Amino acid sequence: MRRLIPSLLCACCFGVLTAVAIAPQAFAQAASGQATMPPALRAAVASGNASAIQQAMNTLSAGNPQRLAGLAQQVSAAAELMIATNPLAAANAANAASAAARQPAVIAAAPQAALSLAISTSRIATSPGVQAAAPAVSAAISVNAVGVTTSPTVFAISPQAALQVMSDSFTSLKSPNVAASSVGALREVTGLLTDASSNPRLAAALATSGAIIVSILTDTVTPDLIKVRDDGGGTAS
């Protein structure tokens, strides 16, 4: 995983750096909620059928985007636990969760949950097991993750976390196996990042965002980047 250049991020305030804590906290909450996952959704996730998972989430959320976001977090947490044993099912579950996160209504009503989902599903998409078992699905998840994190509303919550997702997703889409399975995905993400690099609303949240996104697109990011630690802090190494 590449990290984001600290020299480009030095203008960012400490408060924004610490905002990345919401991601692991939200993931922990989702993981703890597995015991209360509705039976219908649990069965759909176990089936590994993305359409069944989407249908179950839509039915259970009853049009409530915040409820949909919460259900998607449960699905993503369950998917991550399945990577080692059933990477295809994990990919399909994560794809359903990432698609829910990208819905405009979810981004508007639950932007923190949308960011958490982008982080967790991107982590699933970039895992070697998922890339090998389901490269096209991995690509679809990466497209959704970038679609979420380039939203100004989501980006403003934690620019560092959002930029890391963009970087990881773009790198994943260029890996041979994934790239061969979905040429259009890389093209779509390139367009999303190109637009984001000149988006004034992203620049308002982090002045150097445009330069960092360009460095992602041009593959000029150095290894010495901001790290989103497991405990949620952000440090320049």
Side-chain angles (χ1 to χ4, degrees), residues 31 80 85 163 176-177 186 195 215:
E80 198 149 20
T85 57
L163 287 163
N177 194 34
L186 181 58
D195 290 344
S215 75

Side-chain angles (χ1 to χ4, degrees), residues 103-135:
Q103 290 186 22
V106 170
I107 289 175
Q112 284 195 340
L115 175 58
S116 171
L117 282 162
I119 294 169
S120 62
T121 57
S122 174
R123 190 162 54 232
I124 294 167
T126 57
S127 67
V130 167
Q131 289 183 331

